[in-house]
Amino acid sequence: MAEQDTSMLLSDFLAGKARFAEVVVNRPVDKVFSYRIPARVVEQVRPGVRLRVPFGKTVTAGYCVGVSNVARRKKLRDVISVLDREPLADESMLQLTRWIADYYFCSWGEALDCAIPGGVKRGNLGRLVEFAAPAVSPADVPEIIKNIEKRSAKQAAALRALVEADREVASRRLAQKAGLSSTEPIKALAKKGILKLEKRRITSDPYQQTAVERTRPLKLTEEQQHAMNVITEELDGEKFGVALLHGVTGSGKTEIYLQAIDRVVAGGKQAIVLVPEIALTPQTVLRFRQRFDRVAVLHSMLSDAQRHAQWQDIRGGRAQVVIGPRSAVFAPVRSLGLIVIDEEHEPSFKQQNTPRYHARDVAIVRASMEGAYVILGSATPSLESYHNAVVRKYKLLELTKRVEKLPLPRVELIDMREEGRETKRFPLISRHLRDLVKDALSKKEQVMLFLNRRGFATYIDCPRCGLVMRCRRCDVTLTYHKKRDQLVCHYCNAKYPVPEKCPDCGYEKVRYFGIGTEKIEDVIAREFPDARLLRMDSDTMTTRTGHEQAFKQVASGEVDILLGTQMIAKGLHFPGITLVGVVLGDTALYIPDFRSAERTFQLLAQVSGRTGRGELGGRVVIQTFRKDHFSVRLAAKHDYATFARKELDFRHGLGYPPYSRLARFLVEGERDSGVRKKIAEIGNALKALKSKIRMRIVGPAPAPIAYIEGKARWHVLVMTPTSAGIRRLLADMRDRLKSSSSAKVTVDVDPIDML
Ligand code: ADP
Ligand code: ZN
């Protein structure tokens, strides 16, 4: 009996007929479920397709992640139906999402579901539209119209309208233009062979419509050539590897990406280029389309159908290059040769909901699985990447000069403490900056003013010396709690009294600081009433066209002062802008985050990079209360290397990443008591593991944003020497990390957002 069973299995196996499907679902349950495959669907069940399966008392769609001939349990339920004809994920995508689930502590189903675009899952292919085009030579048209007119005025009108349009026209549109109430006359013309009809899906992509002029690879500068030689050699090895291309703004990093991709494409492989969403400007896309015939652009404004079409194109091997934000890391390219991550330090590469993956790190893992190469590019690399380059895990390639000998702009720091002392006020715009703006405006030049929105409203600083109260142990900014009239460290929960006078300079009116963007906008409008002001930030630029329009307005000189948050102006460059002013350069320093100095340096360096590219040259003015802070001082000197050395020292001293791996546990809920109970439970579970796993626990403490929409928020941080430590402790604590109705638990591995 048993023997017969085995032989049956074997014959099924040989015939390619698996009997059981392994299924994962898009829910926070980290389990693989087994189902029996009924004979009627056995041909269609393959890893990567979705299956409808009974799930508890309901029915759900799940992803088939494997098939087998061995039942895991005795009593199994049947697969109900198969939802996809083709797998949505191939073997390597299954492997990659499995890694994401393990590493970022989510379920495999959640990771898979995130990797596949909604439009693909919904099978939205776009509308089918019928187009009409002439099928006869233009020379014959007048004669044909004359003949038709005798029998059908309607058909003649349709043909006339079509010839007038001088290109193909959607049938319905053509009927309208010809003043017809139906498309019947058009169909009649098609039957006679005078015009032809074709049904096509409408998946118009705004980028694909305009033809572009081709550009040829530029002759590289010496520095570029050196970097390119290294990359070429690496690419020719066809092995996994990572290079960090550290190049100042305008040093020609993009040209290197283009030539590296060229090499990959010439070898019949594809490349993925990840950019921060904000950098997906027409300018950026254009540069790629000028070099490659088939560029797929995956931006957030695509419709479901457009996205689906792009996805099919990529999977069919038709796209040579895929450009997109973080989710493009999952683009289903056939034969991956290279992944470029531009502005690799950008926080937007980290997803802020489940799965909380970091696209840079996923890209590196994917490349290692598929034997592809990775280029990380930035003017201000993240310290994690820089550290990896310093310890030779990555190749470090440096571009220290701008191309065509353009100098880096001169950066002036304006000490707002001194300004306050001298003017006996605390102005938002210093006299010097005001003079420079006036001067630029009088010369009909353009000005860009930056505000950093991510200022924190509740820290305490001294208006005279700029001192900000920080935790002695964690070196993050303390937050003022009004109710308790106390300063609290949002990392370790240490409490400090509010000082009566500044501990540094003795000034007696320390203040609760915070600046709102709108307020600054008012001040600027008042100071320069005649200037044409345009505000660009995430509130005003919610659509792609908004962005483009603003860009055009600035480029055509309709705007005198462009007011923006740092997030919007990064990818852009306007030759007409000769003055860049940073209203307050140190706001990022006060965020209770161990990366606050890094963020400050990045912001100031990026801002400085916006100018000095045109013929008019450019200057940068940074107003600051912290003129002596190393991040401010070194950014003004364009000295990344020294900054990185100092910052790495600081991180090393306190055991922060890159010298450790960090995980954050966040608990949120309606009632304080429930939240505190849960976070304490997590904190205690961590402590109990201390004897087994080397770790440092910080907290629990209220999260820097202690309440969101009335929900209390507490967090606890844990650092281990390697990521293996984090994985082990998460595995150990799995049961305690389940959310309940009173306490939602979020686990963030390698967190970027610490608020
Ligand atoms: P980055 O990406 O480092 O900010 P870009 O690639 O945008 O720099 O280069 C800045 C400008 O210099 C671009 O206009 C680019 O076309 C030009 N450029 C880059 N490399 C060269 C080169 N080798 N010769 C001439 N111009 C170059
Ligand atoms: Zn602390």
Side-chain angles (χ1 to χ4, degrees):
M1 197 61 198
E3 236 166 58
Q4 201 189 352
D5 240 352
T6 319
S7 68
M8 230 179 78
L9 267 174
L10 191 62
S11 65
D12 272 356
F13 185 75
L14 291 177
K17 288 178 187 169
R19 295 167 65 216
F20 305 102
E22 314 277 300
V23 175
V24 297
V25 295
N26 178 23
R27 300 190 190 187
V29 277
D30 190 55
K31 236 175 114 176
V32 178
F33 300 91
S34 288
Y35 292 89
R36 246 194 358 207
I37 307 173
R40 73 194 140 79
V41 293
V42 75
E43 304 289 341
Q44 291 119 280
V45 175
R46 273 174 292 167
V49 298
R50 284 171 307 163
L51 306 175
R52 270 172 77 75
V53 290
F55 194 75
K57 288 190 184 117
T58 62
V59 167
T60 188
Y63 292 88
C64 175
V65 293
V67 292
S68 80
N69 281 323
V70 186
R72 289 202 182 178
R73 285 198 304 147
K74 272 215 182 115
K75 273 175 71 189
L76 289 178
R77 299 207 263 174
D78 278 6
V79 167
I80 299 167
S81 61
V82 182
L83 294 171
D84 304 299
R85 239 181 282 158
E86 296 287 322
L88 302 185
D90 61 9
E91 201 43 59
S92 60
M93 195 51 65
L94 290 174
Q95 205 189 336
L96 183 66
T97 48
R98 175 74 258 187
W99 178 86
I100 288 174
D102 285 343
Y103 189 89
Y104 293 105
F105 200 70
C106 65
S107 77
W108 194 355
E110 288 172 316
L112 255 172
D113 203 66
C114 154
I116 294 156
V120 175
K121 283 179 283 208
R122 284 186 285 276
N124 188 339
L125 287 165
R127 224 157 23 99
L128 262 183
V129 173
E130 187 182 68
F131 284 91
V136 292
S137 101
D140 298 338
V141 168
E143 186 63 33
I144 295 173
I145 291 183
K146 217 189 271 170
N147 282 332
I148 293 177
E149 208 143 39
K150 293 175 195 153
R151 274 160 289 147
S152 165
K154 284 181 181 174
Q155 287 179 27
L159 186 54
R160 222 179 266 120
L162 183 62
V163 172
E164 225 165 79
D166 202 23
R167 59 181 169 84
E168 62 166 24
V169 182
S171 304
R172 286 224 190 146
R173 176 102 190 81
L174 184 62
Q176 254 175 20
K177 281 176 79 163
L180 307 173
S181 54
S182 82
T183 57
E184 284 309 317
I186 297 170
K187 292 207 169 76
L189 285 169
K191 267 198 202 116
K192 291 178 190 156
I194 293 168
L195 55 77
K196 50 180 190 280
L197 296 175
E198 195 193 350
K199 280 193 176 159
R200 273 210 315 270
R201 299 217 178 265
I202 297 284
T203 51
S204 73
D205 178 336
Y207 290 106
Q208 306 296 312
Q209 284 171 349
T210 47
V212 292
E213 227 172 278
R214 293 285 273 203
T215 57
R216 298 181 49 78
L218 299 171
K219 189 174 169 339
L220 299 179
T221 64
E222 219 172 285
E223 278 188 330
Q224 281 176 317
Q225 191 61 57
H226 169 74
M228 196 59 216
N229 290 346
V230 175
I231 289 172
T232 305
E233 198 179 306
E234 294 275 300
L235 287 175
D236 291 352
E238 301 202 60
K239 280 202 311 276
F240 164 67
V242 183
L244 174 62
L245 182 60
H246 171 213
V248 298
T249 51
S251 59
K253 294 185 289 298
T254 310
E255 183 62 29
I256 290 185
Y257 306 153
L258 291 168
Q259 298 197 13
I261 295 168
D262 212 12
R263 191 136 191 121
V264 165
V265 168
K269 294 189 175 182
Q270 290 102 48
I272 298 175
V273 182
L274 301 184
V275 295
E277 174 80 33
I278 45 159
L280 262 177
T281 58
Q283 265 181 319
T284 314
V285 172
L286 184 65
R287 286 177 74 180
F288 285 84
R289 292 195 58 217
Q290 285 171 327
R291 287 292 165 84
F292 303 98
D293 290 326
R294 299 191 304 275
V295 179
V297 184
L298 302 170
H299 53 75
S300 61
M301 304 289 168
L302 289 180
S303 69
D304 260 13
Q306 287 170 336
R307 201 175 287 272
H308 191 176
Q310 297 270 29
W311 193 85
Q312 294 287 8
D313 244 25
I314 296 164
R315 199 163 74 151
R318 285 183 289 281
Q320 299 164 311
V321 187
V322 180
I323 308 180
R326 73 175 168 256
S327 59
V329 73
F330 299 115
V333 299
R334 282 238 176 117
S335 166
L336 182 65
L338 173 68
I339 306 181
V340 171
I341 297 136
D342 190 28
E343 312 280 2
E344 66 86 29
H345 63 277
E346 273 292 318
S348 68
F349 284 125
K350 172 92 171 166
Q351 177 145 303
Q352 296 300 357
N353 45 46
T354 310
R356 299 180 157 254
Y357 71 94
H358 197 301
R360 176 190 61 215
D361 300 337
V362 171
I364 290 171
V365 170
R366 178 170 181 189
S368 77
M369 288 173 171
E370 299 183 29
Y373 202 69
V374 179
I375 301 176
L376 309 177
S378 175
T380 53
S382 65
L383 287 160
E384 286 84 352
S385 296
Y386 192 69
H387 180 252
N388 278 331
V390 170
V391 300
R392 310 255 168 123
K393 263 207 219 160
Y394 302 166
K395 287 225 178 290
L396 181 60
L397 306 171
E398 307 215 79
L399 304 176
T400 59
K401 296 192 262 308
R402 285 186 162 181
V403 287
E404 295 182 332
K405 311 227 160 48
L406 285 173
L408 283 164
R410 196 164 67 106
V411 180
E412 271 176 279
L413 293 178
I414 295 186
D415 189 337
M416 294 305 277
R417 288 182 278 180
E418 225 159 81
E419 185 75 15
R421 272 200 290 277
E422 284 169 18
T423 59
K424 304 269 185 295
R425 297 183 303 126
F426 302 113
L428 284 171
I429 306 281
S430 64
R431 294 161 297 171
H432 186 55
L433 179 56
R434 193 190 322 128
D435 290 347
L436 289 177
V437 173
K438 281 201 171 131
D439 189 49
L441 294 178
S442 74
K443 285 194 266 180
K444 300 267 175 284
E445 293 170 2
Q446 289 168 304
V447 175
M448 185 180 249
L449 292 179
F450 278 93
L451 318 163
N452 188 359
R453 238 171 206 289
R454 294 190 66 199
F456 229 74
T458 47
Y459 59 88
I460 288 204
D461 89 337
C462 170
R464 191 159 82 184
C465 77
L467 180 89
V468 173
M469 302 290 297
R470 304 175 86 84
C471 176
R472 281 191 283 274
R473 270 192 290 176
C474 308
D475 202 37
V476 298
T477 308
L478 296 172
T479 302
Y480 175 63
H481 279 236
K482 207 170 170 186
K483 253 197 256 162
R484 283 181 273 159
D485 195 32
Q486 257 180 343
L487 290 164
V488 177
C489 171
H490 282 278
Y491 271 23
C492 73
N493 206 24
K495 309 210 170 49
Y496 299 79
V498 177
E500 283 177 7
K501 54 189 181 189
C502 174
D504 223 29
C505 74
Y507 188 69
E508 287 181 353
K509 283 187 204 147
V510 292
R511 60 180 177 173
Y512 312 101
F513 202 69
I515 40 164
T517 324
E518 289 77 15
K519 190 167 135 204
I520 298 183
E521 191 182 355
D522 287 349
V523 171
I524 289 165
R526 230 181 305 125
E527 294 259 7
F528 312 105
D530 299 331
R532 291 163 301 174
L533 198 72
L534 177 70
R535 188 176 127 204
M536 265 175 110
D537 59 25
S538 49
D539 293 342
T540 57
M541 298 292 135
T542 48
T543 65
R544 174 157 299 274
T545 48
H547 202 135
E548 234 167 289
Q549 237 153 29
F551 174 77
K552 276 197 197 123
Q553 271 178 288
V554 177
S556 68
E558 288 165 48
V559 172
D560 299 316
I561 300 180
L562 178 63
L563 194 63
T565 54
Q566 86 278 12
M567 64 173 293
I568 210 77
K570 265 171 200 160
L572 307 175
H573 106 250
F574 304 108
I577 290 178
T578 58
L579 172 66
V580 170
V582 181
V583 176
L584 188 53
D586 29 343
T587 47
L589 272 181
Y590 310 136
I591 300 170
D593 182 337
F594 72 91
R595 288 191 181 90
S596 63
E598 182 180 353
R599 294 278 173 260
T600 303
F601 186 92
Q602 283 165 352
L603 164 66
L604 297 181
Q606 292 287 354
V607 168
S608 308
R610 289 306 101 214
T611 180
R613 295 199 187 190
E615 279 168 9
L616 300 169
R619 64 198 292 178
V620 178
V621 172
I622 298 171
Q623 304 193 134
T624 174
F625 285 101
R626 307 292 300 279
K627 199 176 169 193
D628 301 323
H629 192 279
F630 71 102
S631 63
V632 176
R633 195 162 40 80
L634 293 169
K637 285 208 264 176
H638 309 289
D639 187 355
Y640 175 82
T642 309
F643 166 76
R645 216 175 320 117
K646 278 184 186 285
E647 179 65 11
L648 285 173
D649 266 3
F650 157 76
R651 303 269 182 99
H652 191 251
L654 287 171
Y656 284 129
Y659 298 97
S660 64
R661 287 309 181 100
L662 181 63
R664 179 188 191 218
F665 301 88
L666 176 71
V667 177
E668 296 165 290
E670 298 285 351
R671 290 197 13 242
D672 278 34
S673 56
V675 170
R676 291 173 74 154
K677 197 169 143 227
K678 187 73 195 170
I679 199 76
E681 186 190 320
I682 294 172
N684 292 335
L686 283 169
K687 277 192 206 112
L689 285 172
K690 259 190 145 170
S691 57
K692 278 208 282 178
I693 304 169
R694 241 181 92 198
M695 68 172 94
R696 195 181 131 218
I697 306 166
V698 184
I705 301 177
Y707 291 91
I708 289 182
E709 292 170 358
K711 288 204 174 77
R713 308 170 82 238
W714 278 67
H715 67 173
V716 57
L717 309 177
V718 60
M719 281 164 256
T720 61
T722 64
S723 63
I726 298 287
R727 281 204 214 192
R728 272 184 62 204
L729 68 88
L730 287 176
D732 242 80
M733 293 171 58
R734 187 171 286 282
D735 290 341
R736 289 182 196 280
L737 297 173
K738 294 208 169 87
S739 296
S740 67
S741 55
S742 60
K744 181 174 162 241
V745 180
T746 303
V747 177
D748 196 352
V749 177
D750 300 337
I752 293 285
D753 178 4
M754 306 293 283
L755 302 179

